[in-house]
Amino acid sequence: MTTPFKRQILDDANQQKTVDLLQQNLVNLVDLALLLKQAHWNVVGHNFRSVHLQLDEIIASVREASDEVAERISALGLPPDGRSSTVAEKTDLASYPSDFQQVPETISRVADALKTTVDQLREAIASLGDLDPISEDMCIGISGVLEKHLWMVQSQEV
């Protein structure tokens, strides 16, 4: 794919490799935000309110992260793809149930989704240092935020 921009931040080889890594993380982040909203709407049981509100906090972080990743892809000169069909086809996250979920099941499923997202971010981080340290730094920052959310979510399972 070619870029409409005259000035490139990265050479062509590093640009495409970097964007491919970022694109997969964008897909996962968009799907994570949707999954978290599904969980938010359908959580029931003991401590419902605190989990319901916690999910909104995580969603805000994830949406901000997805926007940051998409804008980085654009800054590198290629178009990000967050279309629903792309997300559905390429996500690494497990599907979330459509029915009500008790708090313990919600916590477990949300923790699993966060872990999958963090794992993919960390895989990208391992490769991005040689390709684009700015994208690497961005992914480190996003991973740090999500890892904190993962800790707070899974602490409720203990």
Side-chain angles (χ1 to χ4, degrees):
M1 185 174 295
T2 61
T3 179
F5 305 118
K6 290 190 236 180
R7 294 159 201 88
Q8 293 295 83
I9 295 170
L10 302 174
D11 63 50
D12 288 342
N14 285 352
Q15 176 196 46
Q16 191 60 58
K17 289 176 188 172
T18 299
V19 168
D20 289 345
L21 291 165
L22 294 177
Q23 177 60 44
Q24 184 56 50
N25 282 284
L26 175 61
V27 163
N28 288 343
L29 289 164
V30 170
D31 195 29
L32 181 60
L34 294 169
L35 181 149
L36 292 168
K37 206 57 177 172
Q38 183 70 23
H40 167 86
W41 293 324
N42 292 302
V43 63
V44 295
H46 186 68
N47 291 328
F48 151 80
R49 182 160 170 71
S50 63
V51 172
H52 182 78
L53 295 174
Q54 181 184 28
L55 291 171
D56 265 342
E57 292 173 12
I58 301 169
I59 291 163
S61 296
V62 172
R63 286 180 175 163
E64 183 178 327
S66 67
D67 194 50
E68 193 174 353
V69 171
E71 289 177 354
R72 181 65 186 164
I73 293 170
S74 291
L76 293 173
L78 295 175
D81 187 355
R83 296 172 300 162
S84 58
S85 59
T86 302
V87 172
E89 179 184 330
K90 298 195 175 187
T91 186
D92 291 318
L93 278 58
S95 179
Y96 197 86
S98 61
D99 53 341
F100 290 110
Q101 299 292 302
Q102 292 291 317
V103 167
E105 184 65 21
T106 299
I107 294 298
S108 180
R109 288 179 182 276
V110 166
D112 288 346
L114 283 164
K115 178 68 165 87
T116 299
T117 305
V118 165
D119 287 348
Q120 185 64 35
L121 279 162
R122 284 181 160 268
E123 283 183 34
I125 290 164
S127 298
L128 285 169
D130 292 332
L131 298 170
D132 178 25
I134 304 303
S135 294
E136 175 192 36
D137 183 61
M138 177 191 66
C139 288
I140 290 169
I142 291 168
S143 183
V145 170
L146 295 185
E147 289 173 16
K148 183 177 178 181
H149 284 304
L150 174 58
W151 161 60
M152 291 185 166
V153 168
Q154 69 180 349
S155 290
Q156 297 171 78
E157 291 179 306
V158 178

